[in-house]
Amino acid sequence: MILSAILKANETFGHEWGLAFRNSTLSKLTVPSFVRSLSQMPAIQSLSFRVDDETTERSEAQDKVYKQILTELPPWIRWLTLDNCLLKNMTIDFLALAIRSQWVGGGGGNGLEGLALRNHEFRTDALRPVIELLRVSCDEDKNVTSLPRRLKRFPSSNGGLRGLVYLDISGNVLEDAGAAETIGLLRHNKRLRALDLSFNYITGGTQVANALKLVMRTNTALETLRLAGNAIDTRGFSVITDALTQREYVGSMRFLDLSRNQFKPDARDLGKLISTNHTLTYLSLEGNILSEDCGMTVRRVRARSARISILSTLSCFNYVTRI
């Protein structure tokens, strides 16, 4: 096998490998040999399956192939990407079940740590089995009393070293309520470090921002939040600013992506965010509408703060305009 030969030739370098399939049709007959090969190659620690919009590879038959692969996934696979390739909601149920079962089973690894389930345009109800992976158990959080019965037999995603550290569910249809629900589950989550909710039809964003405000009072793990490509407005940005500058803030937020939302931030809110929050080092406002006052505020704050000198607004000055 070509892949096996490549890995063997480079095994002395100790690299981790990723295996990516794009517009590839896999049959159920080839899965056993594929999984067998994976079981002999612990250097492969990430798998990616992607289907482009113009292809016709997304089908119920391919869903069955993905299920078969998930059933036999080696425990050292740490990252899994499914990009516009799933057809049925039930495949997501199976995916979540497989991930939890892997966390329980052990067998030479910590199980899946990074999951991208993007560009499917699934709604919140369809994605909920994956979103629920972020929920802590009743044993760990005495305030959680409504854990679904079907999930109680699994340990929390925060138990020991197991659980997601990265979740990308961008390109779906969570809308405001679903995005707020997802962020809200991080209130007692001590594992997840990065969450991507970009391009999820969030409109206004106040509901999402209020959820973030509560989370930032207890969560010290989340470092990256991406909310790009939604329709967060000026009010939503203002509440996000409050969430990250409140007195009760105990967060570790370092990377905040608010690009391509087309809001017009108030210069006072922007100044407050970058001068008061002392963990944020990367802020993307690209594709929004910044006034001259905003540009002056950014330059003034950066001039007097060494920390802000490494904060990037990603070409925000290309978007400075009079209002």
Side-chain angles (χ1 to χ4, degrees), residues 231-286:
I232 295 172
D233 60 19
T234 302
R235 173 60 181 162
F237 176 76
S238 181
V239 181
I240 289 174
T241 296
D242 290 343
L244 299 179
T245 59
Q246 61 182 313
R247 182 185 302 177
E248 299 88 349
Y249 176 84
V250 297
S252 303
M253 188 74 71
R254 294 171 55 83
F255 185 114
L256 179 62
D257 184 358
L258 297 174
S259 61
R260 288 181 278 182
N261 277 278
Q262 299 186 354
F263 57 77
K264 299 178 180 180
D266 186 282
R268 290 168 296 183
D269 285 333
L270 183 57
K272 179 182 178 183
L273 176 59
I274 63 179
S275 63
T276 304
N277 183 287
H278 297 293
T279 63
L280 196 64
T281 58
Y282 189 105
L283 173 65
S284 176
L285 297 176
E286 185 177 11

Side-chain angles (χ1 to χ4, degrees), residues 18-300:
L19 192 57
F21 296 87
R22 181 174 179 180
N23 302 329
S24 299
T25 303
L26 302 175
S27 72
K28 293 187 68 174
L29 295 177
T30 62
V31 171
S33 60
F34 173 68
V35 171
R36 197 160 47 244
S37 298
L38 282 181
S39 67
Q40 299 170 5
M41 301 176 185
I44 296 179
Q45 299 196 7
S46 69
L47 288 177
S48 175
F49 300 92
R50 172 183 170 184
V51 173
D52 293 332
D53 287 334
E54 63 270 16
T55 70
T56 58
E57 304 297 340
R58 193 167 163 179
S59 67
E60 189 170 351
Q62 284 299 291
D63 275 23
K64 291 180 180 179
V65 169
Y66 297 131
K67 286 182 179 181
Q68 194 174 352
I69 292 174
L70 289 168
T71 302
E72 305 293 337
L73 208 61
W76 52 77
I77 299 294
R78 298 171 53 231
W79 304 88
L80 177 65
T81 297
L82 297 167
D83 189 340
N84 188 37
C85 58
L86 299 184
L87 180 67
K88 296 287 188 177
N89 295 359
M90 290 183 63
T91 307
I92 300 178
D93 292 327
F94 191 91
L95 170 64
L97 182 64
I99 292 172
R100 289 184 178 274
S101 298
Q102 192 185 54
W103 288 341
V104 173
N110 290 328
L112 207 68
E113 296 181 349
L115 174 64
L117 187 61
R118 57 180 178 235
N119 298 324
H120 288 88
E121 295 198 348
F122 285 136
R123 295 190 174 274
T124 304
D125 286 345
L127 291 169
R128 186 162 281 114
V130 165
I131 295 171
E132 287 285 349
L133 294 173
L134 303 177
R135 187 186 293 277
V136 298
S137 70
C138 297
D139 291 337
E140 288 177 298
D141 178 19
K142 303 301 182 183
N143 296 321
V144 178
T145 58
S146 58
L147 192 65
R149 180 180 301 174
R150 61 189 173 87
L151 300 181
K152 287 185 178 179
R153 57 197 176 100
F154 296 103
S156 161
S157 61
N158 296 286
L161 294 175
R162 296 167 187 259
L164 294 177
V165 297
Y166 175 88
L167 178 61
D168 176 358
I169 45 177
S170 61
N172 288 291
V173 193
L174 289 176
E175 301 181 313
D176 294 67
E181 175 186 340
T182 302
I183 290 176
L185 288 177
L186 299 181
R187 191 173 179 187
H188 301 285
N189 184 298
K190 302 175 183 178
R191 179 71 169 159
L192 194 79
R193 295 176 59 188
L195 177 64
D196 192 340
L197 301 180
S198 301
F199 299 97
N200 259 290
Y201 296 90
I202 298 170
T203 304
T206 303
Q207 189 174 354
V208 173
N210 281 325
L212 182 64
K213 192 171 185 178
L214 291 175
V215 166
M216 289 293 98
R217 295 174 182 174
T218 56
N219 184 293
T220 59
L222 187 66
E223 297 179 352
T224 297
L225 179 61
R226 292 180 180 271
L227 295 168
N230 288 294
I232 295 172
D233 60 19
T234 302
R235 173 60 181 162
F237 176 76
S238 181
V239 181
I240 289 174
T241 296
D242 290 343
L244 299 179
T245 59
Q246 61 182 313
R247 182 185 302 177
E248 299 88 349
Y249 176 84
V250 297
S252 303
M253 188 74 71
R254 294 171 55 83
F255 185 114
L256 179 62
D257 184 358
L258 297 174
S259 61
R260 288 181 278 182
N261 277 278
Q262 299 186 354
F263 57 77
K264 299 178 180 180
D266 186 282
R268 290 168 296 183
D269 285 333
L270 183 57
K272 179 182 178 183
L273 176 59
I274 63 179
S275 63
T276 304
N277 183 287
H278 297 293
T279 63
L280 196 64
T281 58
Y282 189 105
L283 173 65
S284 176
L285 297 176
E286 185 177 11
N288 295 295
I289 306 170
L290 273 68
S291 66
E292 288 185 355
D293 286 344
C294 286
M296 292 174 60
T297 297
V298 171
R299 288 191 289 269
R300 184 168 59 249

